[in-house]
Amino acid sequence: MKTSTYIVNIVVFVLLGLIPACKNEEADIFLASPAERLNKAISDYQNILTNAENGWEMDYFANQMSPGYTLLVKLNKSGNAILSARSELTTNGAYEQDSCLFDIIGDNGPVLTFNTFSKILHVFSNPENPDGYGLEGDYEFVIVKAHPDTVWMKGKKYGAEVLLRKMPSDVQWKQLADERSEFKTLLFSEKAPELKMVVNKKTYTFSLGYSGVFLAKGSGVNALTLDVPFIVTHDGIRFYQEVEIEGVKFKAFRLNDAKSGLVSVESPEHTLTGVNDLAIFIRDDAETVWDIFPAGLSSTLDQSYKAILQSAQTLYGADSASFSLKYNTIRGSFVLAFSYTVGTTTTEGLLDLNVTAGNKDMLTVSYKGTGDAKGLQFYNDVEGLDDFVSAISSAFALSTAAKINPKEIKFTKATNQQVYFAIKPR
Amino acid sequence: MNKLTISILLSLLLLLSCSQEEEFGPSIFDVEDHLVEGSASYEFDTWLRQAYLVPYNLDFRYRMEDVGSDMDYNLVPTSFNKARQMAQLVKYLWFDVYGTVVSPEFLKENGPRIIHLIGSPAYNPISGTMLLGTAEGGLKVTLFRCNELDPTDVDLLNEYYFKTMHHEFAHILHQKRNYPVEFGLISQGKYNPLGWQYKTDSEAATLGFVSPYAGSQNREDFVEIIANYLVKSDTQWSDILALASQPGIDMYGDTIPDDGINGRAIILQKLEMAKKWLKESWEIEIDSLRAEIIRRQLNINEVLN
């Protein structure tokens, strides 16, 4: 074979080898390239997100074990985002609003990133308290799915599901944030009793609701114990994830009309119940100190209280005086505690009370005629104290704003509704 | 045309298609103006383009990119207002200083190509330390804790940002041209990469280090000498030397026994070595640079708008 023919053959074989390598391709599954599809998704999501004229209500969970917070977000076509919130994380728990820049980038799929600082959002990601960790929340969200009214997202680093719901055009942001915050305060407080739910005849307690993460416990040694993060919604709460107890699935709850419990949306026969009977609740609570506060007194009792204060000032040089109801384990009795303060020194005297629960929310209080030495001395010396004790020695109808979280309980005299006082836990 | 010619032409064509490589242009970034008028950041982005991108071929990234940082850290972005202030201060107290004292071309040739701002510190909870800045491969400088920027407090500005910038830039310079090997011998055996944070300023100074971090390793020692000398006033620098002349006080307030080391002499020896290296390797007069920085620090308000 001549050298030239040899070279020709090699070149032709090489070129022939290239042709089938190009021909044997899989048929395209998608009409466009991955980059084109990503760009289209970004453009579509950009339109949806910036088309909400009154912005979005964001159900924000920093991570999968964190409480939920309501944030309000408006994404403008200019790339500016306005955010607002009212929660324990905002300054003095007041309504706050600020702005930052946002972008939708092609990262792990289309990602909504808030890439300059907003104190409303980035408080969840700020690595302080404890240093290095903070609340371990996301400010970048992979967009999972988007409809014109709802956008489903997932935190990029910590993976919590975050929901955006389009705000109706007539809703005022501050009003919504204030109402949500007040509703949360109505439902939960640090001193609220734990909630109970009976499922298949087994009672489960849900405590620590004020933290935004319930500690759910069954009874018995090997009972189920769960941490259940949730968010307060406009009419109740929603668990971060569906929770199954005794084979029943729970996720959303609504506050009932009596404001005594949260009724399961998925299984309405089940309710997270607060206090059923206020009289029994007080009678059986041996730990709480209930302050009788001046603003809750009827005019008759207020006059009596002022006379008592004046007398204490005259007798002891008191700067202030106060009453409380509590159970005293040493005396084995409920007591009315009267105390006065001079400077930083407080002196207290106790008068023993009988406390009896009658019909639902009916409590009868009566003075036993006994007390500790100080209590009896005050009873005899302080002008008006005997009248005050006499006035609260009666049958009372108890009421509160929400039995699910009785922060203040009003005692109205059964025989005279013009006589009342109110207590709140110290 | 015979078969041989056709084959050779085809082969040449194939070879050509492989050998036509792109040539490097003058910029690694697209310096065309793609900014969208009416966008929320248009005015600032335009300023950045004119101040950094076009003259220095530098991408000033104030929008945080987590992929551009260490994902192991929990970090937050810089606020827009702090980013604006920082961009103006960096130009005034760093880029314009070198442009005036060294040469307008110096930072174009040797400066970083990316400055990335981060709002929070990068805490290392295990060691109890926090990162204030990084310089990567001579190309990128990352500045942390930018949300704490307070332009009215020059000492804090220097401590948390400008000392860090000069520190990181000195790293970039010595990554291009090595500093003398002899420098590492001065405090050999005294470096403590894991326990430096437990040393007080006083303890570090008596050992011949201008800061506790300088005592972590010799390359940090080298850039700390430069950075501290550049940003510290005469009084502050004298204070360091005075501290180095006194018995060291440890973190418990106890006096450290005299180990015979003359901290002051060592610091001055290191400074002379750094000055000589800057002069011989980069034709930089560190004292002129320092005088310009200190002069500008008195006029910071003029550049902030």
Side-chain angles (χ1 to χ4, degrees):
Chain A
M1 192 182 284
K2 285 184 5 186
T3 308
S4 59
T5 311
Y6 184 70
I7 292 169
V8 168
N9 287 339
I10 289 173
V11 170
V12 169
F13 279 130
V14 167
L15 291 174
L16 282 172
L18 288 172
I19 292 166
C22 299
K23 286 253 175 189
N24 282 344
E25 288 180 353
E26 292 275 340
D28 286 339
I29 298 170
F30 299 104
L31 293 175
S33 70
E36 286 169 333
R37 284 183 284 122
L38 180 59
N39 287 338
K40 184 175 183 314
I42 288 172
S43 172
D44 291 347
Y45 291 151
Q46 185 102 32
N47 283 334
I48 289 174
L49 288 166
T50 56
N51 275 342
E53 286 181 8
N54 197 26
W56 301 88
E57 183 180 337
M58 179 190 273
D59 290 354
Y60 182 90
F61 288 86
N63 56 61
Q64 297 174 47
M65 291 312 295
S66 297
Y69 291 89
T70 298
L71 311 183
L72 305 178
V73 188
K74 170 88 168 82
L75 302 165
N76 293 309
K77 291 188 193 301
S78 66
N80 176 252
I82 300 168
L83 298 104
S84 80
R86 180 182 163 184
S87 73
E88 67 273 17
L89 297 177
T90 55
T91 310
N92 298 325
Y95 177 77
E96 275 187 326
Q97 182 172 306
D98 76 350
S99 65
C100 67
L101 299 178
F102 78 94
D103 210 347
I104 300 175
I105 57 174
D107 194 344
N108 300 348
V111 167
L112 171 63
T113 173
F114 294 85
N115 50 19
T116 63
F117 185 81
S118 153
K119 61 183 173 185
I120 302 292
L121 177 64
H122 294 96
V123 66
F124 298 103
S125 316
N126 209 27
E128 289 174 346
N129 301 321
D131 288 352
Y133 301 102
L135 297 175
E136 299 191 297
D138 276 302
Y139 62 89
E140 293 193 302
F141 309 96
V142 179
I143 302 172
V144 178
K145 190 168 63 171
H147 293 166
D149 292 334
T150 312
V151 178
W152 291 264
M153 308 191 297
K154 202 165 188 177
K156 196 174 101 177
K157 187 167 183 177
Y158 290 101
E161 291 172 15
V162 171
L163 194 66
L164 292 177
R165 279 175 283 109
K166 194 174 178 179
M167 291 267 286
S169 56
D170 58 341
V171 172
Q172 298 293 314
W173 278 27
K174 184 175 184 305
Q175 188 182 345
L176 185 145
D178 285 344
E179 284 174 1
R180 194 63 51 86
S181 174
E182 284 155 17
F183 188 46
K184 189 175 179 181
T185 308
L186 179 86
L187 294 179
F188 303 107
S189 65
E190 204 166 336
K191 288 165 183 163
E194 61 189 14
L195 305 180
K196 290 186 172 67
M197 183 162 71
V198 179
V199 187
N200 287 341
K201 297 180 182 172
K202 292 183 181 168
T203 301
Y204 286 81
T205 58
F206 287 71
S207 57
L208 309 178
Y210 66 92
S211 71
V213 181
F214 280 128
L215 176 63
K217 271 185 186 172
S219 50
V221 181
N222 297 317
L224 180 72
T225 301
L226 289 171
D227 288 320
V228 186
F230 66 89
I231 186 169
V232 174
T233 60
H234 70 285
D235 62 356
I237 61 169
R238 178 172 66 79
F239 291 167
Y240 170 69
Q241 283 179 319
E242 189 175 76
V243 170
E244 187 170 327
I245 299 172
E246 301 291 331
V248 183
K249 291 175 179 170
F250 299 97
K251 186 154 188 185
F253 293 81
R254 286 197 191 102
L255 183 65
N256 59 15
D257 292 340
K259 297 180 181 169
S260 61
L262 290 158
V263 182
S264 166
V265 171
E266 295 80 15
S267 176
E269 64 273 26
H270 294 99
T271 300
L272 281 165
T273 309
V275 175
N276 181 39
D277 186 327
L278 289 168
I280 293 173
F281 170 60
I282 290 175
R283 185 198 67 188
D284 292 348
D285 181 0
E287 293 176 2
T288 307
V289 176
W290 297 92
D291 284 320
I292 300 173
F293 56 100
L297 297 173
S298 64
S299 59
T300 318
L301 287 176
D302 189 47
Q303 283 172 12
S304 179
Y305 170 76
K306 282 173 180 159
I308 291 165
L309 178 59
Q310 195 166 11
S311 178
Q313 283 171 338
T314 307
L315 289 170
Y316 313 117
D319 299 321
S320 63
S322 63
F323 289 105
S324 61
L325 279 177
K326 61 185 176 182
Y327 186 81
N328 185 290
T329 48
I330 296 168
R331 303 192 66 74
S333 171
F334 269 90
V335 294
L336 174 70
F338 172 72
S339 61
Y340 68 84
T341 301
V342 180
T344 55
T345 307
T346 299
T347 307
E348 184 182 71
L350 308 176
L351 298 171
D352 301 335
L353 300 175
N354 276 317
V355 169
T356 313
N359 292 336
K360 190 176 180 185
D361 298 330
M362 292 295 295
L363 192 77
T364 300
V365 180
S366 61
Y367 174 44
K368 290 180 181 176
T370 56
D372 67 1
K374 280 282 177 199
L376 293 173
Q377 180 198 329
F378 295 157
Y379 186 79
N380 291 324
D381 295 349
V382 177
E383 197 177 327
L385 184 55
D386 53 349
D387 293 338
F388 189 86
V389 172
S390 173
I392 67 161
S393 293
S394 180
F396 291 95
L398 308 188
S399 59
T400 186
K403 277 187 171 178
I404 194 168
N405 177 22
K407 286 183 294 186
E408 288 182 12
I409 299 175
K410 186 177 178 184
F411 285 56
T412 305
K413 199 165 186 174
T415 55
N416 182 357
Q417 293 193 355
Q418 302 305 310
V419 178
Y420 56 82
F421 66 95
I423 60 174
K424 59 184 174 185
R426 182 177 294 173
Chain B
M1 203 178 284
N2 62 30
K3 286 178 184 173
L4 180 61
T5 312
I6 292 168
S7 299
I8 290 169
L9 281 173
L10 279 169
S11 304
L12 281 172
L13 197 66
L14 284 171
L15 285 171
L16 276 174
S17 67
C18 297
S19 67
Q20 278 178 346
E21 291 175 357
E22 281 188 33
E23 289 184 6
F24 286 115
S27 171
I28 60 170
F29 300 114
D30 182 359
V31 294
E32 291 297 313
D33 186 355
H34 298 297
L35 302 176
V36 180
E37 204 168 346
S39 72
S41 56
Y42 178 73
E43 189 185 336
F44 181 44
D45 291 340
T46 302
W47 184 87
L48 287 177
R49 183 175 175 277
Q50 289 163 353
Y52 289 105
L53 184 61
V54 173
Y56 292 103
N57 192 19
L58 186 152
D59 186 3
F60 196 99
R61 295 182 182 168
Y62 65 94
R63 290 171 179 254
M64 190 169 144
E65 296 177 356
D66 63 356
V67 289
S69 60
D70 188 334
M71 297 280 279
D72 288 340
Y73 288 109
N74 287 316
L75 304 168
V76 293
T78 307
S79 78
F80 187 70
N81 283 339
K82 297 292 183 190
R84 285 180 60 212
Q85 290 180 334
M86 186 61 91
Q88 289 167 328
L89 288 172
V90 168
K91 183 170 186 304
Y92 183 67
L93 289 172
W94 183 9
F95 281 71
D96 291 352
V97 168
Y98 277 87
T100 305
V101 175
V102 185
S103 84
E105 301 305 311
F106 184 75
L107 279 179
K108 293 180 185 177
E109 292 165 2
N110 299 298
R113 290 292 165 258
I114 298 169
I115 293 178
H116 191 197
L117 303 186
I118 306 288
S120 58
Y123 287 107
N124 186 336
I126 294 168
S127 66
T129 58
M130 67 175 170
L131 206 56
L132 297 176
T134 58
E136 295 164 28
L139 288 175
K140 180 179 176 185
V141 169
T142 303
L143 295 173
F144 298 92
R145 206 175 181 270
C146 295
N147 284 340
E148 300 300 318
L149 178 70
D150 177 2
T152 63
D153 191 332
V154 172
D155 288 344
L156 277 184
L157 279 181
N158 283 330
E159 185 62 28
Y160 286 114
Y161 311 109
F162 291 100
K163 193 175 88 177
T164 304
M165 282 176 216
H166 293 296
H167 173 113
E168 300 305 341
F169 186 52
H171 274 312
I172 288 176
L173 292 181
H174 80 65
Q175 282 164 9
K176 291 187 173 187
R177 294 175 193 172
N178 283 336
Y179 59 84
V181 176
E182 297 76 39
F183 183 92
L185 302 177
I186 299 174
S187 292
Q188 195 175 31
K190 300 293 179 191
Y191 293 109
N192 187 349
L194 298 177
W196 62 268
Q197 65 269 34
Y198 304 117
K199 286 203 163 34
T200 61
D201 289 348
S202 158
E203 205 172 354
T206 56
L207 289 170
F209 301 118
V210 288
S211 69
Y213 189 50
S216 63
Q217 42 192 322
N218 76 57
R219 66 168 184 269
E220 302 301 342
D221 193 9
F222 186 70
V223 300
E224 277 288 281
I225 278 277
I226 294 172
N228 276 278
Y229 187 65
L230 281 175
V231 301
K232 297 250 189 282
S233 66
D234 287 343
T235 308
Q236 290 168 323
W237 182 254
S238 297
D239 287 346
I240 292 176
L241 295 178
L243 208 56
S245 307
Q246 297 160 6
I249 310 289
D250 67 15
M251 62 192 294
Y252 303 108
D254 296 331
T255 302
I256 300 163
D258 186 6
D259 55 5
I261 295 173
N262 185 339
R264 185 177 192 279
I266 290 173
I267 289 173
L268 290 174
Q269 184 189 359
K270 289 174 180 174
L271 175 64
E272 280 311 307
M273 209 173 269
K275 276 185 180 181
K276 191 167 176 237
W277 174 79
L278 280 169
K279 177 68 182 163
E280 291 176 355
S281 297
W282 296 102
E283 295 181 9
I284 293 174
E285 294 281 358
I286 194 171
D287 285 307
S288 304
L289 209 57
R290 180 169 181 254
E292 181 67 9
I293 290 168
I294 291 172
R295 184 187 72 75
R296 284 172 179 253
Q297 283 177 353
L298 301 173
N299 302 310
I300 282 174
N301 285 340
E302 290 176 18
V303 295
L304 296 175
N305 51 43

